[in-house]
Amino acid sequence: MTEARPPFPPFDLDSALTKVQAAEDAWNTRDPHQVALAYTEDSAWRNRDTVLTGREKIVEFLTAKWERELDYVLRKSLWGFRGDRMAVRFQYEWHNTEGQWFRSYGNELWEFADNGLMRRREASINDLAIDAADRRYFGPRPDAERGPGHDIPLD
């Protein structure tokens, strides 16, 4: 493996938190090519009802996602970790072409290769229509909201 994406498994609390924040930051760029570089060439995904394998399919999936989920902004939170695996909770907000805002709630299971790239991702996600006035995320997480103690709310 010539690619590497530290931190590497096995994870401790600091490296797990670093990995989750890096994922949040990458997804908030809404750049499918940049995001896909965090995954192995043969990474296996399940996202809602979609199952796919490989970076090329990840780029296609994310391109289509961000064409319909406009002004997407994400927050991730570490739920737990062990060895080369993590459980992550997340919320993101977006609107459709008609202007309806949504907050999407989800959980992910991650498995990493020794080089720090994610080789498996399983995501379960539910969408809730919200009023624009109920939005809570307006861009990438500011520095003051990074690190321990800045979890995402349940509701």
Side-chain angles (χ1 to χ4, degrees):
M1 292 185 254
T2 58
E3 301 173 277
R5 182 68 61 112
F8 306 111
F11 299 106
D12 60 20
L13 180 58
D14 288 338
S15 62
L17 288 168
T18 297
K19 195 64 120 177
V20 171
Q21 187 63 60
E24 177 185 304
D25 292 343
W27 280 67
N28 276 326
T29 68
R30 299 183 299 241
D31 180 339
H33 297 280
Q34 178 181 337
V35 172
L37 293 175
Y39 300 91
T40 61
E41 288 285 344
D42 61 349
S43 186
W45 276 33
R46 183 189 54 77
N47 195 93
R48 300 179 192 249
D49 62 349
T50 301
V51 177
L52 55 97
T53 302
R55 278 193 191 151
E56 182 178 316
K57 294 294 184 186
I58 291 169
V59 169
E60 289 174 14
F61 175 87
L62 292 175
T63 298
K65 171 185 179 65
W66 290 321
E67 286 175 354
R68 70 180 177 277
E69 295 181 1
L70 306 174
D71 295 320
Y72 171 101
V73 63
L74 167 74
R75 296 294 186 271
K76 289 187 181 281
S77 175
L78 178 66
W79 185 258
F81 65 95
R82 182 179 66 210
D84 64 351
R85 295 180 178 178
M86 289 187 204
V88 175
R89 298 177 300 161
F90 63 88
Q91 296 176 15
Y92 62 89
E93 294 177 346
W94 57 280
H95 66 87
N96 61 20
T97 56
E98 291 79 34
Q100 173 62 59
W101 280 93
F102 295 88
R103 183 173 304 120
S104 299
Y105 297 87
N107 300 294
E108 292 176 300
L109 300 175
W110 296 349
E111 183 179 78
F112 292 88
D114 290 343
N115 64 355
L117 297 177
M118 195 181 303
R119 67 176 157 220
R120 184 176 178 135
R121 173 184 176 267
E122 297 183 34
S124 297
I125 307 167
N126 299 296
D127 302 318
L128 176 66
I130 61 171
D131 292 330
D134 294 328
R135 292 181 57 209
R136 60 172 67 127
Y137 308 125
F138 297 92
R141 188 185 298 258
D143 289 342
E145 294 179 12
R146 291 174 181 261
H150 294 288
D151 204 354
I152 54 177
L154 181 59
D155 63 347

